[in-house]
mmCIF file of all heavy atoms in Angstrom:
data_model
loop_
_atom_site.group_PDB
_atom_site.id
_atom_site.type_symbol
_atom_site.label_atom_id
_atom_site.label_comp_id
_atom_site.label_asym_id
_atom_site.label_seq_id
_atom_site.Cartn_x
_atom_site.Cartn_y
_atom_site.Cartn_z
ATOM 1 N N CYS X 8 -88.066 220.145 -72.350
ATOM 2 C CA CYS X 8 -88.891 221.200 -71.776
ATOM 3 C C CYS X 8 -88.120 222.238 -70.990
ATOM 4 O O CYS X 8 -88.720 223.028 -70.248
ATOM 5 C CB CYS X 8 -89.943 220.612 -70.855
ATOM 6 S SG CYS X 8 -91.035 219.499 -71.685
ATOM 7 N N GLN X 9 -86.819 222.258 -71.083
ATOM 8 C CA GLN X 9 -86.053 223.291 -70.378
ATOM 9 C C GLN X 9 -86.302 223.283 -68.875
ATOM 10 O O GLN X 9 -86.346 224.334 -68.239
ATOM 11 C CB GLN X 9 -86.377 224.690 -70.945
ATOM 12 C CG GLN X 9 -86.392 224.771 -72.441
ATOM 13 C CD GLN X 9 -85.059 224.373 -73.054
ATOM 14 O OE1 GLN X 9 -84.024 224.373 -72.383
ATOM 15 N NE2 GLN X 9 -85.051 224.014 -74.314
ATOM 16 N N LEU X 10 -86.502 222.115 -68.309
ATOM 17 C CA LEU X 10 -86.707 222.041 -66.865
ATOM 18 C C LEU X 10 -85.358 222.031 -66.169
ATOM 19 O O LEU X 10 -84.554 221.122 -66.365
ATOM 20 C CB LEU X 10 -87.466 220.763 -66.502
ATOM 21 C CG LEU X 10 -88.841 220.582 -67.145
ATOM 22 C CD1 LEU X 10 -89.394 219.221 -66.785
ATOM 23 C CD2 LEU X 10 -89.782 221.691 -66.715
ATOM 24 N N ALA X 11 -85.093 223.014 -65.365
ATOM 25 C CA ALA X 11 -83.791 223.084 -64.691
ATOM 26 C C ALA X 11 -83.969 222.949 -63.178
ATOM 27 O O ALA X 11 -84.979 223.382 -62.617
ATOM 28 C CB ALA X 11 -83.102 224.402 -65.023
ATOM 29 N N LEU X 12 -82.977 222.352 -62.566
ATOM 30 C CA LEU X 12 -82.974 222.199 -61.109
ATOM 31 C C LEU X 12 -82.994 223.569 -60.442
ATOM 32 O O LEU X 12 -82.254 224.475 -60.827
ATOM 33 C CB LEU X 12 -81.707 221.430 -60.702
ATOM 34 C CG LEU X 12 -81.459 221.183 -59.213
ATOM 35 C CD1 LEU X 12 -82.651 220.516 -58.538
ATOM 36 C CD2 LEU X 12 -80.207 220.338 -59.030
ATOM 37 N N ASP X 13 -83.822 223.721 -59.448
ATOM 38 C CA ASP X 13 -83.945 224.961 -58.683
ATOM 39 C C ASP X 13 -82.565 225.431 -58.181
ATOM 40 O O ASP X 13 -81.812 224.643 -57.618
ATOM 41 C CB ASP X 13 -84.868 224.692 -57.485
ATOM 42 C CG ASP X 13 -85.004 225.893 -56.581
ATOM 43 O OD1 ASP X 13 -85.784 226.798 -56.908
ATOM 44 O OD2 ASP X 13 -84.308 225.912 -55.542
ATOM 45 N N PRO X 14 -82.202 226.718 -58.397
ATOM 46 C CA PRO X 14 -80.842 227.196 -58.076
ATOM 47 C C PRO X 14 -80.434 227.002 -56.608
ATOM 48 O O PRO X 14 -79.288 226.648 -56.334
ATOM 49 C CB PRO X 14 -80.917 228.691 -58.413
ATOM 50 C CG PRO X 14 -82.030 228.824 -59.382
ATOM 51 C CD PRO X 14 -83.021 227.760 -59.051
ATOM 52 N N THR X 15 -81.350 227.227 -55.685
ATOM 53 C CA THR X 15 -81.011 227.066 -54.270
ATOM 54 C C THR X 15 -80.698 225.607 -53.936
ATOM 55 O O THR X 15 -79.718 225.302 -53.241
ATOM 56 C CB THR X 15 -82.181 227.554 -53.384
ATOM 57 O OG1 THR X 15 -82.557 228.866 -53.807
ATOM 58 C CG2 THR X 15 -81.771 227.576 -51.925
ATOM 59 N N VAL X 16 -81.534 224.724 -54.438
ATOM 60 C CA VAL X 16 -81.306 223.291 -54.220
ATOM 61 C C VAL X 16 -80.012 222.861 -54.896
ATOM 62 O O VAL X 16 -79.241 222.066 -54.359
ATOM 63 C CB VAL X 16 -82.507 222.476 -54.764
ATOM 64 C CG1 VAL X 16 -82.250 220.983 -54.657
ATOM 65 C CG2 VAL X 16 -83.789 222.857 -54.026
ATOM 66 N N ARG X 17 -79.767 223.409 -56.074
ATOM 67 C CA ARG X 17 -78.551 223.076 -56.832
ATOM 68 C C ARG X 17 -77.305 223.478 -56.061
ATOM 69 O O ARG X 17 -76.344 222.710 -55.947
ATOM 70 C CB ARG X 17 -78.611 223.776 -58.192
ATOM 71 C CG ARG X 17 -77.506 223.398 -59.144
ATOM 72 C CD ARG X 17 -77.853 223.822 -60.573
ATOM 73 N NE ARG X 17 -78.099 225.248 -60.698
ATOM 74 C CZ ARG X 17 -77.144 226.174 -60.838
ATOM 75 N NH1 ARG X 17 -75.868 225.803 -60.885
ATOM 76 N NH2 ARG X 17 -77.457 227.447 -60.953
ATOM 77 N N ASP X 18 -77.308 224.689 -55.511
ATOM 78 C CA ASP X 18 -76.157 225.143 -54.721
ATOM 79 C C ASP X 18 -75.921 224.244 -53.514
ATOM 80 O O ASP X 18 -74.776 223.842 -53.232
ATOM 81 C CB ASP X 18 -76.382 226.585 -54.229
ATOM 82 C CG ASP X 18 -76.054 227.602 -55.303
ATOM 83 O OD1 ASP X 18 -75.597 227.183 -56.403
ATOM 84 O OD2 ASP X 18 -76.246 228.812 -55.068
ATOM 85 N N ALA X 19 -76.985 223.954 -52.795
ATOM 86 C CA ALA X 19 -76.847 223.107 -51.605
ATOM 87 C C ALA X 19 -76.338 221.719 -51.992
ATOM 88 O O ALA X 19 -75.469 221.141 -51.312
ATOM 89 C CB ALA X 19 -78.193 223.004 -50.882
ATOM 90 N N ALA X 20 -76.868 221.189 -53.103
ATOM 91 C CA ALA X 20 -76.440 219.860 -53.559
ATOM 92 C C ALA X 20 -74.966 219.876 -53.941
ATOM 93 O O ALA X 20 -74.222 218.935 -53.634
ATOM 94 C CB ALA X 20 -77.298 219.418 -54.747
#
Side-chain angles (χ1 to χ4, degrees):
Chain X
C8 300
Q9 314 301 341
L10 301 175
L12 178 54
D13 177 80
T15 309
V16 175
R17 187 164 58 83
D18 279 357

